Amino acid sequence: MRARFRYRIYPNRLQRLMLAKTFGCARVVYNDAIRLRQDLYQQGEKVSDTEIQKRVITQAKLTVEREWLSEVASVPLVQSLQDAHLAFRNFFKSLKGERKGRKIGFPKFKKKHSTQSIRFTTNGFSVKPNSVYLAKIGCVRVKWSRELPSDPSSVTIIKDAADHYFASFVCEVDPIALKAIKNGVGIDLGLTTFATLSTGEKVLSPKPLAKSLKRLRRAQKSLSRKVKGSKRRYLARRKVARIHARIKDQRTDFLHKLSTRIVRENQAIVLEDLNVSGMVKNRKLARAISDAGWYSFRQMIEGKAIRYGRDFQVISRWEPTSQRCSSCGQLGGKKPLDVREWKCMHCGVIHDRDVNAAINIQVAGGQSETQNGRGGQRKSSSLVAADEASTRGLVEQLRLFA
């Protein structure tokens, strides 16, 4: 299997200048390819990918308008063109229904003022002890935080909005089979409590955006006052970008540490499929949901489970995990979000809302058994309690359901 390994790089002034030229040339080639395909489509003409490359790179270098394409390495230009071809293929596959997921739109033009990236294949770079050599750029200093597991097949040079440079290597890695264990866990994701495990453990959310929101607002307010195109606006924009970068790093660090611990301690991991794109449409919870990073956490769990030989499963979002009693299996009806504890009117057990949901998620995945011995894959019961006791601070209050 393939994996990415990302490292911070520190180009000097001349190397930053050459990288800026390469970023610009790769962006122009990509945009020219999209524009050319648009013109050919309107004319009803079809050409091959090879002909497109000949027109936007080979012949363009001979013109006065694009002669500066010869100043940079040809490898990232070709790779940028390959990205344009892939974007069109994905677009047409999506139109035909051959691509999974929601429909994707027509390829968009790349912008100058955003994250920039270029890709080098094996004939355009080489790894050195303390640096990485890039064609026509030279040896760029790298901070090797860990060794590469194998010879990389490609490297992507990234410049983010905070003017930080990174090198992302693609390497072949062997799966690492961890020692098999009997533990299984169901995970219920939330906002204040990021993850509630079926074992009863609760992991609080770090809320990196909420903690830096005051500082971010102050920086954005200062940015809005600067004159467009001025040096001070550039510095203010970079300050905002670096705050965002720090927030992202804090969130990613938390998610990686938590996902690694869960994968190492459990053989079977079950999550609930959440409609995140629909949930963020709630204007009152959109910021908190985006700050949590639920989907990134799911991707990390899934990828690490495959690599380390763990079982990973996602249950349907329609499973009534918050309504079902984890002790007797009967449904108790919907409950407002402010009801954090409730009492089952069938068996009398008092449940913590999140822990009960986590246990039901684990059972619905067919990976565990509950206190009364119920386990395996089960279907939702249509039986709903006639009377439901919800508790706020263990004060019972009867609620009637039709």
Side-chain angles (χ1 to χ4, degrees):
M1 58 183 298
R2 292 183 178 182
R4 283 195 173 273
F5 295 82
R6 184 168 173 168
Y7 303 87
R8 183 78 180 271
I9 62 175
Y10 300 90
N12 56 36
R13 186 179 63 85
L14 294 179
Q15 291 171 344
R16 290 197 298 270
L17 178 62
M18 284 302 302
L19 284 173
K21 289 184 178 180
T22 310
F23 289 141
C25 292
R27 183 178 62 252
V28 167
V29 168
Y30 183 92
N31 293 341
D32 286 349
I34 293 180
R35 190 177 297 106
L36 178 58
R37 283 191 178 272
Q38 285 180 330
D39 296 340
L40 294 175
Y41 176 78
Q42 294 175 355
Q43 299 171 6
E45 182 181 355
K46 294 183 178 180
V47 296
S48 63
D49 293 347
T50 304
E51 180 63 23
I52 295 291
Q53 178 175 335
K54 181 179 178 181
R55 295 188 186 186
V56 301
I57 295 181
T58 307
Q59 295 179 353
K61 289 181 178 180
L62 304 178
T63 64
V64 178
E65 295 82 4
R66 295 287 188 268
E67 61 180 359
W68 33 264
L69 292 176
S70 302
E71 299 179 5
V72 302
S74 60
V75 176
L77 304 184
V78 175
Q79 294 303 310
S80 181
L81 189 59
Q82 295 296 328
D83 292 341
H85 296 332
L86 180 60
F88 272 101
R89 285 195 292 270
N90 290 338
F91 168 65
F92 288 117
K93 286 182 179 180
S94 180
L95 287 179
K96 298 177 183 178
E98 300 175 357
R99 190 177 188 272
K100 295 182 179 180
R102 58 184 177 181
K103 298 290 185 179
I104 61 175
F106 190 83
K108 297 181 180 180
F109 294 103
K110 288 188 175 182
K111 298 180 180 180
K112 179 178 181 180
H113 302 289
S114 61
T115 300
Q116 306 292 317
S117 64
I118 50 176
R119 187 169 65 254
F120 291 85
T121 52
T122 52
N123 57 338
F125 78 98
S126 60
V127 178
K128 305 294 182 180
N130 297 315
S131 61
V132 55
Y133 172 79
L134 304 175
K136 287 196 175 182
I137 296 176
C139 293
V140 182
R141 186 166 65 91
V142 182
K143 184 177 181 180
W144 298 110
S145 55
R146 53 181 171 175
E147 295 184 0
L148 291 171
S150 61
D151 294 333
S153 59
S154 67
V155 60
T156 302
I157 305 300
I158 304 168
K159 177 190 175 185
D160 62 12
D163 290 348
H164 295 158
Y165 292 84
F166 301 90
S168 179
F169 297 90
V170 177
C171 301
E172 289 287 342
V173 296
D174 297 326
I176 303 174
L178 296 178
K179 183 179 178 181
I181 54 180
K182 296 181 179 181
N183 295 347
V185 67
I187 305 175
D188 178 62
L189 300 179
L191 296 178
T192 303
T193 303
F194 176 80
T196 302
L197 309 186
S198 56
T199 58
E201 178 185 356
K202 292 189 176 183
V203 181
L204 296 180
S205 176
K207 298 182 179 181
L209 176 59
K211 292 180 179 179
S212 301
L213 192 57
K214 184 177 180 180
R215 180 184 176 194
L216 180 61
R217 283 174 173 169
R218 190 185 302 116
Q220 289 175 330
K221 188 175 182 179
S222 176
L223 172 62
S224 66
R225 295 171 174 171
K226 301 298 185 291
V227 178
K228 291 186 177 181
S230 65
K231 179 68 173 179
R232 289 189 175 183
R233 182 177 178 85
Y234 165 77
L235 295 177
R237 181 205 59 79
R238 189 176 64 177
K239 183 177 181 180
V240 172
R242 289 185 173 179
I243 296 175
H244 278 294
R246 179 177 175 82
I247 293 172
K248 179 183 176 182
D249 291 342
Q250 290 173 339
R251 181 186 301 113
T252 304
D253 180 70
F254 166 76
L255 296 178
H256 268 301
K257 289 179 179 178
L258 179 60
S259 59
T260 299
R261 180 171 71 86
I262 291 176
V263 169
R264 290 186 180 276
E265 295 178 354
N266 299 277
Q267 180 65 37
I269 305 160
V270 186
L271 284 176
E272 185 179 14
D273 183 25
L274 298 175
N275 183 19
V276 179
S277 59
M279 296 171 70
V280 295
K281 294 180 181 179
N282 184 336
R283 62 184 181 87
K284 295 183 179 179
L285 297 177
R287 179 188 295 156
I289 293 173
S290 301
D291 191 17
W294 290 338
Y295 186 69
S296 298
F297 179 70
R298 171 177 165 176
Q299 286 184 313
M300 292 179 186
I301 288 280
E302 184 174 6
K304 294 174 183 179
I306 294 175
R307 184 178 183 187
Y308 295 114
R310 300 306 198 195
D311 301 323
F312 175 75
Q313 188 176 358
V314 179
I315 66 170
S316 171
R317 67 183 62 168
W318 306 113
E319 185 71 22
T321 56
S322 296
Q323 304 177 29
R324 187 185 299 279
C325 173
S326 59
S327 295
C328 64
Q330 302 299 327
L331 291 177
K334 293 185 178 180
K335 306 166 188 64
L337 290 177
D338 60 342
V339 177
R340 308 316 303 173
E341 291 182 336
W342 58 281
K343 182 178 180 180
C344 178
M345 296 303 298
H346 295 279
C347 63
V349 176
I350 298 177
H351 295 291
D352 179 282
R353 180 192 184 105
D354 297 333
V355 175
N356 176 74
I359 295 175
N360 286 328
I361 290 173
Q362 184 182 15
V363 176
Q367 303 292 345
S368 176
E369 296 184 354
T370 59
Q371 300 173 13
N372 291 349
R374 297 184 303 106
Q377 188 72 28
R378 68 162 185 262
K379 297 183 179 179
S380 299
S381 172
S382 59
L383 180 61
V384 181
D387 297 301
E388 179 63 28
S390 63
T391 60
R392 294 179 176 87
L394 295 182
V395 177
E396 296 187 2
Q397 178 181 355
L398 294 179
R399 299 179 59 215
L400 300 180
F401 293 85

